[in-house]
Amino acid sequence: MKKIFTSITAIILFLNIATVGLAAFTDVPSSNPFAEDIEYLDQTGIVSGSKFSPDRKITRQEYAKWILKNTGFLGENYESPSRKRFRDVSKTNSYAPFIYKLRDIGALGNEDESRFRPTRAIDRQTALEWLLEVEGVPVPRVFNEADFHAEDVNVRSPSAPLVNKAIDMGLLAPGKVNMDA
């Protein structure tokens, strides 16, 4: 579980780098600091293809598929038990099973129940929230403020407990975590 946390988090939270040739992906050089993580995602079938497009932002629907495929959920023949549908996710959308599974397990939290915004880029906070929820990692809302090591997040901000947990797990490095990127 730690490897997938590290791989997906590294790619989602920190990827905006130069391109040119990892084995499976012609646009990821072996010198890329995330080359091993990207190769892991390819080897495990979480991502595939000949190009990874590391400079492109990852969409909410893509991320939903990535984190759920890591759990073994393939989306095949998934029928949501709820009749509620997002207005912007059609039944023919290949990501629909992953999107609705995220919703059905409660990983989407208090997001808008009528729209998912599937093609919008996933932001760092949402990526961490979904990942930790899918993996069943509790995020304590109360923590020792003296042990908080994010320089650019207010210790009393709503995202502080999430950032604190991510730092504790080694998903984010202490210091400037740049959750707004």
Side-chain angles (χ1 to χ4, degrees), residues 4-171:
I4 192 63
F5 267 174
T6 304
S7 296
I8 289 180
T9 303
I11 290 165
I12 294 298
L13 301 180
F14 307 106
L15 193 65
N16 274 328
I17 45 193
T19 58
V20 182
L22 182 66
F25 299 106
T26 59
D27 58 351
V28 180
S30 57
S31 61
N32 181 310
F34 303 105
E36 277 186 40
D37 297 317
I38 294 168
E39 186 171 12
Y40 171 80
L41 294 175
D42 176 56
Q43 289 173 349
T44 56
I46 293 170
V47 297
S48 62
S50 61
K51 291 191 177 218
F52 186 77
S53 302
D55 291 327
R56 185 179 62 77
K57 299 265 187 200
I58 297 165
T59 65
R60 291 165 53 91
Q61 65 187 4
E62 289 168 328
Y63 188 67
K65 184 175 181 179
W66 283 18
I67 62 174
L68 286 171
K69 277 186 81 173
N70 177 61
T71 69
F73 177 78
L74 302 177
E76 297 168 349
N77 304 316
Y78 181 71
E79 224 17 80
S80 174
S82 173
R83 292 196 179 276
K84 284 184 155 185
R85 297 283 181 248
F86 293 111
R87 291 184 305 195
D88 54 359
V89 179
S90 73
K91 286 184 176 185
T92 60
N93 180 330
S94 63
Y95 295 96
F98 301 96
I99 293 166
Y100 287 111
K101 182 67 169 180
L102 268 187
R103 193 228 17 232
D104 294 342
I105 63 173
L108 300 181
N110 295 326
E111 291 194 27
D112 181 352
E113 292 184 17
S114 65
R115 295 185 335 172
F116 181 75
R117 297 171 183 82
T119 59
R120 179 180 284 176
I122 185 114
D123 62 79
R124 291 178 178 197
Q125 179 166 336
T126 302
L128 276 173
E129 288 171 352
W130 292 1
L131 180 62
L132 296 180
E133 185 67 36
V134 164
E135 294 295 342
V137 177
V139 179
R141 292 302 186 203
V142 178
F143 58 91
N144 184 348
E145 292 180 8
D147 293 335
F148 188 65
H149 300 289
E151 297 170 10
D152 56 347
V153 176
N154 185 313
V155 71
R156 290 186 178 83
S157 105
S159 65
L162 181 69
V163 170
N164 189 60
K165 185 65 174 183
I167 291 172
D168 285 351
M169 293 178 69
L171 298 176

